Structure formats: structure tokens, C-alpha cells
PDB file of all heavy atoms in Angstrom:
ATOM      1  N   THR V 123       4.463 -13.912  13.345  1.00  0.00           N
ATOM      2  CA  THR V 123       3.415 -14.825  12.883  1.00  0.00           C
ATOM      3  C   THR V 123       3.960 -16.200  12.534  1.00  0.00           C
ATOM      4  O   THR V 123       3.211 -17.167  12.472  1.00  0.00           O
ATOM      5  CB  THR V 123       2.701 -14.250  11.640  1.00  0.00           C
ATOM      6  OG1 THR V 123       3.659 -14.095  10.580  1.00  0.00           O
ATOM      7  CG2 THR V 123       2.055 -12.913  11.946  1.00  0.00           C
ATOM      8  N   GLY V 124       5.285 -16.294  12.289  1.00  0.00           N
ATOM      9  CA  GLY V 124       5.868 -17.579  11.908  1.00  0.00           C
ATOM     10  C   GLY V 124       5.396 -18.043  10.540  1.00  0.00           C
ATOM     11  O   GLY V 124       5.348 -19.250  10.277  1.00  0.00           O
ATOM     12  N   ALA V 125       5.049 -17.104   9.655  1.00  0.00           N
ATOM     13  CA  ALA V 125       4.500 -17.456   8.341  1.00  0.00           C
ATOM     14  C   ALA V 125       5.540 -18.169   7.486  1.00  0.00           C
ATOM     15  O   ALA V 125       6.705 -17.754   7.423  1.00  0.00           O
ATOM     16  CB  ALA V 125       4.005 -16.200   7.628  1.00  0.00           C
ATOM     17  N   GLU V 126       5.100 -19.223   6.813  1.00  0.00           N
ATOM     18  CA  GLU V 126       5.957 -19.981   5.901  1.00  0.00           C
ATOM     19  C   GLU V 126       5.145 -20.383   4.671  1.00  0.00           C
ATOM     20  O   GLU V 126       3.917 -20.463   4.716  1.00  0.00           O
ATOM     21  CB  GLU V 126       6.499 -21.246   6.579  1.00  0.00           C
ATOM     22  CG  GLU V 126       7.399 -20.983   7.773  1.00  0.00           C
ATOM     23  CD  GLU V 126       7.852 -22.277   8.440  1.00  0.00           C
ATOM     24  OE1 GLU V 126       7.211 -23.329   8.171  1.00  0.00           O
ATOM     25  OE2 GLU V 126       8.832 -22.251   9.204  1.00  0.00           O
ATOM     26  N   GLY V 127       5.869 -20.671   3.587  1.00  0.00           N
ATOM     27  CA  GLY V 127       5.224 -21.192   2.395  1.00  0.00           C
ATOM     28  C   GLY V 127       4.103 -20.316   1.880  1.00  0.00           C
ATOM     29  O   GLY V 127       4.268 -19.108   1.687  1.00  0.00           O
ATOM     30  N   LYS V 128       2.925 -20.919   1.672  1.00  0.00           N
ATOM     31  CA  LYS V 128       1.778 -20.209   1.118  1.00  0.00           C
ATOM     32  C   LYS V 128       1.355 -19.061   2.024  1.00  0.00           C
ATOM     33  O   LYS V 128       1.018 -17.970   1.544  1.00  0.00           O
ATOM     34  CB  LYS V 128       0.615 -21.186   0.939  1.00  0.00           C
ATOM     35  CG  LYS V 128      -0.649 -20.545   0.399  1.00  0.00           C
ATOM     36  CD  LYS V 128      -1.790 -21.560   0.306  1.00  0.00           C
ATOM     37  CE  LYS V 128      -3.080 -20.907  -0.161  1.00  0.00           C
ATOM     38  NZ  LYS V 128      -4.204 -21.870  -0.194  1.00  0.00           N
ATOM     39  N   VAL V 129       1.375 -19.288   3.342  1.00  0.00           N
ATOM     40  CA  VAL V 129       0.969 -18.239   4.286  1.00  0.00           C
ATOM     41  C   VAL V 129       1.919 -17.047   4.194  1.00  0.00           C
ATOM     42  O   VAL V 129       1.501 -15.887   4.309  1.00  0.00           O
ATOM     43  CB  VAL V 129       0.941 -18.792   5.732  1.00  0.00           C
ATOM     44  CG1 VAL V 129       0.613 -17.681   6.725  1.00  0.00           C
ATOM     45  CG2 VAL V 129      -0.083 -19.911   5.848  1.00  0.00           C
ATOM     46  N   LEU V 130       3.196 -17.306   3.960  1.00  0.00           N
ATOM     47  CA  LEU V 130       4.170 -16.225   3.811  1.00  0.00           C
ATOM     48  C   LEU V 130       3.877 -15.409   2.551  1.00  0.00           C
ATOM     49  O   LEU V 130       3.940 -14.167   2.579  1.00  0.00           O
ATOM     50  CB  LEU V 130       5.583 -16.806   3.747  1.00  0.00           C
ATOM     51  CG  LEU V 130       6.723 -15.799   3.518  1.00  0.00           C
ATOM     52  CD1 LEU V 130       6.732 -14.735   4.617  1.00  0.00           C
ATOM     53  CD2 LEU V 130       8.069 -16.509   3.443  1.00  0.00           C
ATOM     54  N   GLU V 131       3.557 -16.090   1.449  1.00  0.00           N
ATOM     55  CA  GLU V 131       3.234 -15.375   0.218  1.00  0.00           C
ATOM     56  C   GLU V 131       1.979 -14.534   0.392  1.00  0.00           C
ATOM     57  O   GLU V 131       1.882 -13.417  -0.123  1.00  0.00           O
ATOM     58  CB  GLU V 131       3.049 -16.375  -0.937  1.00  0.00           C
ATOM     59  CG  GLU V 131       4.328 -17.083  -1.358  1.00  0.00           C
ATOM     60  CD  GLU V 131       5.442 -16.111  -1.719  1.00  0.00           C
ATOM     61  OE1 GLU V 131       5.166 -15.162  -2.497  1.00  0.00           O
ATOM     62  OE2 GLU V 131       6.564 -16.271  -1.217  1.00  0.00           O
ATOM     63  N   GLU V 132       0.988 -15.072   1.125  1.00  0.00           N
ATOM     64  CA  GLU V 132      -0.223 -14.304   1.419  1.00  0.00           C
ATOM     65  C   GLU V 132       0.122 -13.050   2.218  1.00  0.00           C
ATOM     66  O   GLU V 132      -0.384 -11.962   1.950  1.00  0.00           O
ATOM     67  CB  GLU V 132      -1.210 -15.176   2.200  1.00  0.00           C
ATOM     68  CG  GLU V 132      -1.800 -16.315   1.390  1.00  0.00           C
ATOM     69  CD  GLU V 132      -2.570 -17.302   2.257  1.00  0.00           C
ATOM     70  OE1 GLU V 132      -2.384 -17.284   3.495  1.00  0.00           O
ATOM     71  OE2 GLU V 132      -3.353 -18.102   1.705  1.00  0.00           O
ATOM     72  N   ALA V 133       1.007 -13.230   3.216  1.00  0.00           N
ATOM     73  CA  ALA V 133       1.398 -12.101   4.068  1.00  0.00           C
ATOM     74  C   ALA V 133       2.083 -11.006   3.254  1.00  0.00           C
ATOM     75  O   ALA V 133       1.840  -9.805   3.467  1.00  0.00           O
ATOM     76  CB  ALA V 133       2.317 -12.584   5.190  1.00  0.00           C
ATOM     77  N   LYS V 134       2.929 -11.402   2.316  1.00  0.00           N
ATOM     78  CA  LYS V 134       3.625 -10.417   1.481  1.00  0.00           C
ATOM     79  C   LYS V 134       2.614  -9.612   0.661  1.00  0.00           C
ATOM     80  O   LYS V 134       2.737  -8.388   0.537  1.00  0.00           O
ATOM     81  CB  LYS V 134       4.610 -11.120   0.546  1.00  0.00           C
ATOM     82  CG  LYS V 134       5.828 -11.701   1.245  1.00  0.00           C
ATOM     83  CD  LYS V 134       6.734 -12.399   0.234  1.00  0.00           C
ATOM     84  CE  LYS V 134       7.968 -13.002   0.900  1.00  0.00           C
ATOM     85  NZ  LYS V 134       8.817 -13.723  -0.090  1.00  0.00           N
ATOM     86  N   THR V 135       1.624 -10.312   0.087  1.00  0.00           N
ATOM     87  CA  THR V 135       0.610  -9.626  -0.724  1.00  0.00           C
ATOM     88  C   THR V 135      -0.244  -8.701   0.135  1.00  0.00           C
ATOM     89  O   THR V 135      -0.570  -7.587  -0.266  1.00  0.00           O
ATOM     90  CB  THR V 135      -0.283 -10.655  -1.437  1.00  0.00           C
ATOM     91  OG1 THR V 135       0.528 -11.568  -2.165  1.00  0.00           O
ATOM     92  CG2 THR V 135      -1.227  -9.962  -2.407  1.00  0.00           C
ATOM     93  N   ILE V 136      -0.615  -9.172   1.343  1.00  0.00           N
ATOM     94  CA  ILE V 136      -1.410  -8.348   2.265  1.00  0.00           C
ATOM     95  C   ILE V 136      -0.645  -7.076   2.627  1.00  0.00           C
ATOM     96  O   ILE V 136      -1.179  -5.956   2.548  1.00  0.00           O
ATOM     97  CB  ILE V 136      -1.750  -9.136   3.543  1.00  0.00           C
ATOM     98  CG1 ILE V 136      -2.752 -10.252   3.226  1.00  0.00           C
ATOM     99  CG2 ILE V 136      -2.316  -8.217   4.622  1.00  0.00           C
ATOM    100  CD1 ILE V 136      -2.924 -11.256   4.344  1.00  0.00           C
ATOM    101  N   ASN V 137       0.612  -7.233   3.024  1.00  0.00           N
ATOM    102  CA  ASN V 137       1.411  -6.072   3.436  1.00  0.00           C
ATOM    103  C   ASN V 137       1.626  -5.104   2.279  1.00  0.00           C
ATOM    104  O   ASN V 137       1.662  -3.884   2.467  1.00  0.00           O
ATOM    105  CB  ASN V 137       2.751  -6.533   3.995  1.00  0.00           C
ATOM    106  CG  ASN V 137       2.607  -7.192   5.359  1.00  0.00           C
ATOM    107  OD1 ASN V 137       1.611  -7.006   6.041  1.00  0.00           O
ATOM    108  ND2 ASN V 137       3.597  -7.966   5.746  1.00  0.00           N
ATOM    109  N   LYS V 138       1.765  -5.653   1.059  1.00  0.00           N
ATOM    110  CA  LYS V 138       1.961  -4.794  -0.106  1.00  0.00           C
ATOM    111  C   LYS V 138       0.721  -3.944  -0.367  1.00  0.00           C
ATOM    112  O   LYS V 138       0.823  -2.743  -0.651  1.00  0.00           O
ATOM    113  CB  LYS V 138       2.281  -5.649  -1.338  1.00  0.00           C
ATOM    114  CG  LYS V 138       2.591  -4.838  -2.587  1.00  0.00           C
ATOM    115  CD  LYS V 138       2.953  -5.740  -3.757  1.00  0.00           C
ATOM    116  CE  LYS V 138       3.250  -4.922  -5.010  1.00  0.00           C
ATOM    117  NZ  LYS V 138       3.591  -5.790  -6.162  1.00  0.00           N
ATOM    118  N   SER V 139      -0.474  -4.545  -0.266  1.00  0.00           N
ATOM    119  CA  SER V 139      -1.704  -3.781  -0.514  1.00  0.00           C
ATOM    120  C   SER V 139      -1.953  -2.763   0.597  1.00  0.00           C
ATOM    121  O   SER V 139      -2.441  -1.658   0.338  1.00  0.00           O
ATOM    122  CB  SER V 139      -2.901  -4.719  -0.659  1.00  0.00           C
ATOM    123  OG  SER V 139      -3.139  -5.433   0.531  1.00  0.00           O
ATOM    124  N   LEU V 140      -1.610  -3.131   1.840  1.00  0.00           N
ATOM    125  CA  LEU V 140      -1.762  -2.172   2.943  1.00  0.00           C
ATOM    126  C   LEU V 140      -0.773  -1.018   2.800  1.00  0.00           C
ATOM    127  O   LEU V 140      -1.075   0.124   3.155  1.00  0.00           O
ATOM    128  CB  LEU V 140      -1.562  -2.877   4.289  1.00  0.00           C
ATOM    129  CG  LEU V 140      -2.654  -3.878   4.677  1.00  0.00           C
ATOM    130  CD1 LEU V 140      -2.286  -4.589   5.970  1.00  0.00           C
ATOM    131  CD2 LEU V 140      -4.004  -3.189   4.825  1.00  0.00           C
ATOM    132  N   SER V 141       0.398  -1.314   2.267  1.00  0.00           N
ATOM    133  CA  SER V 141       1.368  -0.261   1.991  1.00  0.00           C
ATOM    134  C   SER V 141       0.847   0.681   0.913  1.00  0.00           C
ATOM    135  O   SER V 141       1.001   1.908   1.009  1.00  0.00           O
ATOM    136  CB  SER V 141       2.694  -0.887   1.547  1.00  0.00           C
ATOM    137  OG  SER V 141       3.631   0.116   1.201  1.00  0.00           O
ATOM    138  N   ALA V 142       0.183   0.108  -0.105  1.00  0.00           N
ATOM    139  CA  ALA V 142      -0.426   0.942  -1.152  1.00  0.00           C
ATOM    140  C   ALA V 142      -1.515   1.830  -0.564  1.00  0.00           C
ATOM    141  O   ALA V 142      -1.663   2.995  -0.954  1.00  0.00           O
ATOM    142  CB  ALA V 142      -1.000   0.054  -2.258  1.00  0.00           C
ATOM    143  N   LEU V 143      -2.287   1.281   0.392  1.00  0.00           N
ATOM    144  CA  LEU V 143      -3.320   2.071   1.070  1.00  0.00           C
ATOM    145  C   LEU V 143      -2.683   3.237   1.821  1.00  0.00           C
ATOM    146  O   LEU V 143      -3.175   4.365   1.780  1.00  0.00           O
ATOM    147  CB  LEU V 143      -4.106   1.179   2.030  1.00  0.00           C
ATOM    148  CG  LEU V 143      -5.175   1.854   2.888  1.00  0.00           C
ATOM    149  CD1 LEU V 143      -6.230   2.533   2.024  1.00  0.00           C
ATOM    150  CD2 LEU V 143      -5.833   0.835   3.823  1.00  0.00           C
ATOM    151  N   GLY V 144      -1.576   2.962   2.507  1.00  0.00           N
ATOM    152  CA  GLY V 144      -0.863   4.028   3.215  1.00  0.00           C
ATOM    153  C   GLY V 144      -0.348   5.095   2.269  1.00  0.00           C
ATOM    154  O   GLY V 144      -0.397   6.293   2.576  1.00  0.00           O
ATOM    155  N   ASN V 145       0.127   4.673   1.096  1.00  0.00           N
ATOM    156  CA  ASN V 145       0.637   5.636   0.119  1.00  0.00           C
ATOM    157  C   ASN V 145      -0.475   6.542  -0.401  1.00  0.00           C
ATOM    158  O   ASN V 145      -0.261   7.739  -0.620  1.00  0.00           O
ATOM    159  CB  ASN V 145       1.289   4.893  -1.055  1.00  0.00           C
ATOM    160  CG  ASN V 145       2.571   4.197  -0.660  1.00  0.00           C
ATOM    161  OD1 ASN V 145       3.211   4.552   0.334  1.00  0.00           O
ATOM    162  ND2 ASN V 145       2.968   3.196  -1.424  1.00  0.00           N
ATOM    163  N   VAL V 146      -1.665   5.968  -0.597  1.00  0.00           N
ATOM    164  CA  VAL V 146      -2.808   6.782  -1.048  1.00  0.00           C
ATOM    165  C   VAL V 146      -3.170   7.814   0.015  1.00  0.00           C
ATOM    166  O   VAL V 146      -3.398   8.992  -0.296  1.00  0.00           O
ATOM    167  CB  VAL V 146      -4.018   5.878  -1.371  1.00  0.00           C
ATOM    168  CG1 VAL V 146      -5.294   6.721  -1.504  1.00  0.00           C
ATOM    169  CG2 VAL V 146      -3.776   5.103  -2.647  1.00  0.00           C
ATOM    170  N   ILE V 147      -3.215   7.384   1.264  1.00  0.00           N
ATOM    171  CA  ILE V 147      -3.568   8.312   2.346  1.00  0.00           C
ATOM    172  C   ILE V 147      -2.506   9.400   2.493  1.00  0.00           C
ATOM    173  O   ILE V 147      -2.822  10.584   2.696  1.00  0.00           O
ATOM    174  CB  ILE V 147      -3.768   7.535   3.665  1.00  0.00           C
ATOM    175  CG1 ILE V 147      -5.075   6.738   3.568  1.00  0.00           C
ATOM    176  CG2 ILE V 147      -3.789   8.463   4.868  1.00  0.00           C
ATOM    177  CD1 ILE V 147      -5.390   5.919   4.784  1.00  0.00           C
ATOM    178  N   ASN V 148      -1.246   9.025   2.368  1.00  0.00           N
ATOM    179  CA  ASN V 148      -0.181  10.032   2.430  1.00  0.00           C
ATOM    180  C   ASN V 148      -0.317  11.042   1.296  1.00  0.00           C
ATOM    181  O   ASN V 148      -0.125  12.249   1.497  1.00  0.00           O
ATOM    182  CB  ASN V 148       1.194   9.354   2.358  1.00  0.00           C
ATOM    183  CG  ASN V 148       1.546   8.636   3.642  1.00  0.00           C
ATOM    184  OD1 ASN V 148       1.011   8.941   4.707  1.00  0.00           O
ATOM    185  ND2 ASN V 148       2.438   7.665   3.555  1.00  0.00           N
ATOM    186  N   ALA V 149      -0.649  10.550   0.095  1.00  0.00           N
ATOM    187  CA  ALA V 149      -0.803  11.452  -1.051  1.00  0.00           C
ATOM    188  C   ALA V 149      -2.003  12.374  -0.855  1.00  0.00           C
ATOM    189  O   ALA V 149      -1.952  13.564  -1.195  1.00  0.00           O
ATOM    190  CB  ALA V 149      -0.955  10.644  -2.338  1.00  0.00           C
ATOM    191  N   LEU V 150      -3.097  11.835  -0.306  1.00  0.00           N
ATOM    192  CA  LEU V 150      -4.308  12.641  -0.103  1.00  0.00           C
ATOM    193  C   LEU V 150      -4.114  13.715   0.962  1.00  0.00           C
ATOM    194  O   LEU V 150      -4.770  14.757   0.914  1.00  0.00           O
ATOM    195  CB  LEU V 150      -5.476  11.734   0.305  1.00  0.00           C
ATOM    196  CG  LEU V 150      -6.090  10.871  -0.802  1.00  0.00           C
ATOM    197  CD1 LEU V 150      -7.028   9.835  -0.204  1.00  0.00           C
ATOM    198  CD2 LEU V 150      -6.833  11.741  -1.810  1.00  0.00           C
ATOM    199  N   THR V 151      -3.257  13.451   1.920  1.00  0.00           N
ATOM    200  CA  THR V 151      -3.086  14.389   3.033  1.00  0.00           C
ATOM    201  C   THR V 151      -1.827  15.240   2.902  1.00  0.00           C
ATOM    202  O   THR V 151      -1.513  16.019   3.805  1.00  0.00           O
ATOM    203  CB  THR V 151      -3.033  13.627   4.369  1.00  0.00           C
ATOM    204  OG1 THR V 151      -2.012  12.617   4.313  1.00  0.00           O
ATOM    205  CG2 THR V 151      -4.364  12.963   4.650  1.00  0.00           C
ATOM    206  N   SER V 152      -1.108  15.089   1.784  1.00  0.00           N
ATOM    207  CA  SER V 152       0.055  15.942   1.532  1.00  0.00           C
ATOM    208  C   SER V 152      -0.403  17.245   0.907  1.00  0.00           C
ATOM    209  O   SER V 152      -1.520  17.359   0.407  1.00  0.00           O
ATOM    210  CB  SER V 152       1.048  15.235   0.604  1.00  0.00           C
ATOM    211  OG  SER V 152       1.562  14.064   1.202  1.00  0.00           O
ATOM    212  N   SER V 153       0.466  18.229   0.920  1.00  0.00           N
ATOM    213  CA  SER V 153       0.123  19.507   0.294  1.00  0.00           C
ATOM    214  C   SER V 153      -0.008  19.320  -1.209  1.00  0.00           C
ATOM    215  O   SER V 153       0.636  18.452  -1.789  1.00  0.00           O
ATOM    216  CB  SER V 153       1.218  20.540   0.596  1.00  0.00           C
ATOM    217  OG  SER V 153       2.458  20.135   0.034  1.00  0.00           O
ATOM    218  N   PRO V 154      -0.837  20.127  -1.858  1.00  0.00           N
ATOM    219  CA  PRO V 154      -1.063  19.981  -3.304  1.00  0.00           C
ATOM    220  C   PRO V 154       0.223  20.044  -4.123  1.00  0.00           C
ATOM    221  O   PRO V 154       0.327  19.424  -5.171  1.00  0.00           O
ATOM    222  CB  PRO V 154      -1.985  21.164  -3.634  1.00  0.00           C
ATOM    223  CG  PRO V 154      -2.665  21.480  -2.341  1.00  0.00           C
ATOM    224  CD  PRO V 154      -1.656  21.193  -1.275  1.00  0.00           C
ATOM    225  N   THR V 155       1.202  20.800  -3.648  1.00  0.00           N
ATOM    226  CA  THR V 155       2.453  20.927  -4.398  1.00  0.00           C
ATOM    227  C   THR V 155       3.281  19.647  -4.342  1.00  0.00           C
ATOM    228  O   THR V 155       4.096  19.380  -5.210  1.00  0.00           O
ATOM    229  CB  THR V 155       3.292  22.082  -3.837  1.00  0.00           C
ATOM    230  OG1 THR V 155       3.514  21.856  -2.423  1.00  0.00           O
ATOM    231  CG2 THR V 155       2.578  23.404  -4.024  1.00  0.00           C
ATOM    232  N   LYS V 156       3.055  18.824  -3.297  1.00  0.00           N
ATOM    233  CA  LYS V 156       3.840  17.598  -3.140  1.00  0.00           C
ATOM    234  C   LYS V 156       3.159  16.388  -3.768  1.00  0.00           C
ATOM    235  O   LYS V 156       3.829  15.440  -4.152  1.00  0.00           O
ATOM    236  CB  LYS V 156       4.087  17.329  -1.653  1.00  0.00           C
ATOM    237  CG  LYS V 156       5.043  18.319  -1.000  1.00  0.00           C
ATOM    238  CD  LYS V 156       5.306  17.912   0.448  1.00  0.00           C
ATOM    239  CE  LYS V 156       6.292  18.866   1.106  1.00  0.00           C
ATOM    240  NZ  LYS V 156       6.574  18.478   2.516  1.00  0.00           N
ATOM    241  N   ALA V 157       1.841  16.390  -3.839  1.00  0.00           N
ATOM    242  CA  ALA V 157       1.120  15.204  -4.334  1.00  0.00           C
ATOM    243  C   ALA V 157       0.135  15.592  -5.425  1.00  0.00           C
ATOM    244  O   ALA V 157      -0.983  16.000  -5.148  1.00  0.00           O
ATOM    245  CB  ALA V 157       0.382  14.521  -3.184  1.00  0.00           C
ATOM    246  N   SER V 158       0.563  15.515  -6.676  1.00  0.00           N
ATOM    247  CA  SER V 158      -0.326  15.803  -7.789  1.00  0.00           C
ATOM    248  C   SER V 158      -1.007  14.535  -8.298  1.00  0.00           C
ATOM    249  O   SER V 158      -1.979  14.594  -9.037  1.00  0.00           O
ATOM    250  CB  SER V 158       0.456  16.463  -8.930  1.00  0.00           C
ATOM    251  OG  SER V 158       1.520  15.613  -9.340  1.00  0.00           O
ATOM    252  N   HIS V 159      -0.492  13.378  -7.904  1.00  0.00           N
ATOM    253  CA  HIS V 159      -1.036  12.099  -8.355  1.00  0.00           C
ATOM    254  C   HIS V 159      -1.403  11.236  -7.157  1.00  0.00           C
ATOM    255  O   HIS V 159      -0.610  11.085  -6.222  1.00  0.00           O
ATOM    256  CB  HIS V 159      -0.005  11.365  -9.219  1.00  0.00           C
ATOM    257  CG  HIS V 159      -0.372   9.944  -9.505  1.00  0.00           C
ATOM    258  ND1 HIS V 159      -1.453   9.602 -10.296  1.00  0.00           N
ATOM    259  CD2 HIS V 159       0.183   8.766  -9.086  1.00  0.00           C
ATOM    260  CE1 HIS V 159      -1.535   8.290 -10.372  1.00  0.00           C
ATOM    261  NE2 HIS V 159      -0.560   7.748  -9.646  1.00  0.00           N
ATOM    262  N   ILE V 160      -2.629  10.690  -7.166  1.00  0.00           N
ATOM    263  CA  ILE V 160      -3.068   9.781  -6.105  1.00  0.00           C
ATOM    264  C   ILE V 160      -2.986   8.358  -6.664  1.00  0.00           C
ATOM    265  O   ILE V 160      -3.716   8.029  -7.603  1.00  0.00           O
ATOM    266  CB  ILE V 160      -4.509  10.096  -5.647  1.00  0.00           C
ATOM    267  CG1 ILE V 160      -4.661  11.583  -5.336  1.00  0.00           C
ATOM    268  CG2 ILE V 160      -4.852   9.244  -4.436  1.00  0.00           C
ATOM    269  CD1 ILE V 160      -3.761  12.111  -4.243  1.00  0.00           C
ATOM    270  N   PRO V 161      -2.145   7.495  -6.103  1.00  0.00           N
ATOM    271  CA  PRO V 161      -1.904   6.164  -6.700  1.00  0.00           C
ATOM    272  C   PRO V 161      -2.986   5.135  -6.373  1.00  0.00           C
ATOM    273  O   PRO V 161      -2.702   4.065  -5.823  1.00  0.00           O
ATOM    274  CB  PRO V 161      -0.539   5.774  -6.100  1.00  0.00           C
ATOM    275  CG  PRO V 161      -0.516   6.434  -4.763  1.00  0.00           C
ATOM    276  CD  PRO V 161      -1.246   7.744  -4.945  1.00  0.00           C
ATOM    277  N   TYR V 162      -4.232   5.426  -6.736  1.00  0.00           N
ATOM    278  CA  TYR V 162      -5.333   4.492  -6.477  1.00  0.00           C
ATOM    279  C   TYR V 162      -5.130   3.156  -7.193  1.00  0.00           C
ATOM    280  O   TYR V 162      -5.545   2.106  -6.696  1.00  0.00           O
ATOM    281  CB  TYR V 162      -6.669   5.091  -6.931  1.00  0.00           C
ATOM    282  CG  TYR V 162      -7.171   6.243  -6.103  1.00  0.00           C
ATOM    283  CD1 TYR V 162      -7.297   7.515  -6.660  1.00  0.00           C
ATOM    284  CD2 TYR V 162      -7.529   6.072  -4.772  1.00  0.00           C
ATOM    285  CE1 TYR V 162      -7.788   8.582  -5.912  1.00  0.00           C
ATOM    286  CE2 TYR V 162      -8.011   7.131  -4.009  1.00  0.00           C
ATOM    287  CZ  TYR V 162      -8.129   8.384  -4.590  1.00  0.00           C
ATOM    288  OH  TYR V 162      -8.605   9.438  -3.846  1.00  0.00           O
ATOM    289  N   ARG V 163      -4.508   3.186  -8.360  1.00  0.00           N
ATOM    290  CA  ARG V 163      -4.408   1.987  -9.183  1.00  0.00           C
ATOM    291  C   ARG V 163      -3.240   1.081  -8.801  1.00  0.00           C
ATOM    292  O   ARG V 163      -2.992   0.088  -9.481  1.00  0.00           O
ATOM    293  CB  ARG V 163      -4.299   2.382 -10.666  1.00  0.00           C
ATOM    294  CG  ARG V 163      -5.559   3.055 -11.196  1.00  0.00           C
ATOM    295  CD  ARG V 163      -5.410   3.423 -12.664  1.00  0.00           C
ATOM    296  NE  ARG V 163      -6.617   4.070 -13.172  1.00  0.00           N
ATOM    297  CZ  ARG V 163      -7.642   3.425 -13.712  1.00  0.00           C
ATOM    298  NH1 ARG V 163      -7.592   2.117 -13.821  1.00  0.00           N
ATOM    299  NH2 ARG V 163      -8.703   4.079 -14.155  1.00  0.00           N
TER     300      ARG V 163
END
């Protein structure tokens, strides 16, 4: 993307929230013994 400056900071925040979304989905689809907490927050 060639992101720099403000656009780069936006990209970091976007990727961080999408990573959190992935973590929630991984927790929801893991076995109950592996995922007792869903990190919605």
C-alpha cells in the first residue's frame, strides 16, 4: 500500500482490530477446553 505517516498509523489500527476479530473467531471455534474466554473486549 505504500502507507506512510497518518495512513500508516490508520493501517496499524485497522490490522490490530482485524487481528482481534480473528482471535474472537478462533476462540469461538476452538474446543471448550481450549477457549474458556472470548476476547470480545
Side-chain angles (χ1 to χ4, degrees):
T123 61
E126 297 177 343
K128 179 183 177 183
V129 176
L130 177 58
E131 292 305 312
E132 291 170 344
K134 289 179 180 178
T135 307
I136 291 168
N137 288 341
K138 184 178 179 181
S139 63
L140 292 175
S141 177
L143 177 59
N145 291 338
V146 166
I147 288 180
N148 287 338
L150 286 168
T151 55
S152 297
S153 63
T155 56
K156 290 184 178 181
S158 58
H159 169 67
I160 310 300
Y162 290 116
R163 294 180 180 270

